[in-house]
Amino acid sequence: KAGVTQTPRYLIKTRGQQVTLSCSPISGHRSVSWYQQTPGQGLQFLFEYFSETQRNKGNFPGRFSGRQFSNSRSEMNVSTLELGDSALYLCASSPGGAGYEQYFGPGTRLTVT
Amino acid sequence: AQSVTQLGSHVSVSEGALVLLRCNYSSSVPPYLFWYVQYPNQGLQLLLKYTSAATLVKGINGFEAEFKKSETSFHLTKPSAHMSDAAEYFCAVTSPSGAGSYQLTFGKGTKLSVIP
């Protein structure tokens, strides 16, 4: 099976702009989670989608949003970018039940200038 | 709220020496525990997971971890370090977050250096 793919791999944006990141999960996986990784805060949970519904959300401002499509592909959007949004954004897919491991994509490196 | 503590942000070992990376968790319900590894400019790769079937869990690349409920620990070990083991290692715990969701909470990570 193909792994989790994320596009684009690298992005440079200017403060105030918005950005959309894409994630394609492993075939058959219905759960997609997003994480932000920074040197200072480490890995932080953003949100999880399962069958097109957001099931869980981390402690991030409303500028961070996401959605999931019927084919389980997911997008996350960050509006009004701030310098502090510079990070590696990781997407992970899972069958969705208790105890299932999450499989991570390579990430999108976002730099905000 | 659940949390994960990884003792030591940096660990250095000599090639061929024992690798021991420490992880303690706090969880009010029986946890699922994971160790992930991250190589530079890559995503996270699962090393092993604990799901209550056995307290000693064997993973990929010769790593294993032992779940000790009394100590709330899930330390990662490897008998003999290889140069290729140099990476950052993350311990994570997951438990129910409502609406059927299971959220991973990660430790801060431990960077492992292997000295030739």
Side-chain angles (χ1 to χ4, degrees):
Chain A
K1 278 186 178 179
V4 178
T5 58
Q6 292 186 246
T7 56
R9 291 293 311 278
Y10 302 91
L11 264 180
I12 300 175
K13 289 288 188 178
T14 303
R15 192 169 45 183
Q17 289 185 314
Q18 74 166 19
V19 67
T20 299
L21 313 181
S22 180
C23 171
S24 292
I26 292 171
S27 177
H29 286 187
R30 297 165 66 188
S31 169
V32 174
S33 297
W34 289 87
Y35 296 85
Q36 182 196 64
Q37 185 177 25
T38 59
Q41 299 299 316
L43 281 152
Q44 294 185 285
F45 172 76
L46 279 157
F47 29 66
E48 187 230 358
Y49 286 86
F50 183 85
S51 294
E52 302 180 66
T53 300
Q54 186 182 91
R55 286 201 302 192
N56 195 9
K57 183 171 167 51
N59 189 24
F60 277 82
R63 300 185 297 106
F64 291 82
S65 63
R67 59 178 175 168
Q68 186 180 34
F69 302 96
S70 58
N71 62 358
S72 292
R73 189 177 70 85
S74 177
E75 290 180 347
M76 68 163 282
N77 184 275
V78 188
S79 62
T80 319
L81 284 165
E82 300 177 359
L83 296 178
D85 297 332
S86 295
L88 181 67
Y89 290 89
L90 293 163
C91 163
S93 81
S94 162
Y100 283 105
E101 57 268 37
Q102 295 186 14
Y103 295 88
F104 285 79
T108 294
R109 172 75 63 185
L110 172 65
T111 302
V112 183
T113 62
Chain B
Q2 55 188 323
S3 66
V4 176
T5 302
Q6 290 185 241
L7 288 176
S9 58
H10 289 87
V11 170
S12 291
V13 300
S14 297
E15 191 175 16
L18 171 72
V19 175
L20 170 60
L21 304 181
R22 300 178 187 273
C23 172
N24 288 89
Y25 69 93
S26 69
S27 176
S28 58
V29 298
Y32 298 104
L33 293 157
F34 305 84
W35 275 100
Y36 284 87
V37 60
Q38 186 177 34
Y39 297 99
N41 299 315
Q42 294 187 26
L44 276 68
Q45 179 183 6
L46 180 72
L47 278 177
L48 49 80
K49 69 174 182 179
Y50 167 76
T51 56
S52 77
T55 56
L56 184 61
V57 182
K58 294 187 182 300
I60 63 171
N61 300 339
F63 284 94
E64 62 182 38
E66 185 173 9
F67 173 72
K68 292 187 177 180
K69 185 177 180 180
S70 61
E71 299 176 7
T72 60
S73 68
F74 190 56
H75 301 332
L76 181 71
T77 60
K78 181 174 180 177
S80 176
H82 295 167
M83 296 299 295
S84 60
D85 295 327
E88 190 160 19
Y89 293 80
F90 294 91
C91 180
V93 62
T94 183
S95 60
S97 301
S101 180
Y102 289 82
Q103 170 184 334
L104 273 175
T105 299
F106 287 91
K108 292 292 188 183
T110 298
K111 281 189 179 175
L112 176 66
S113 299
V114 181
I115 304 165

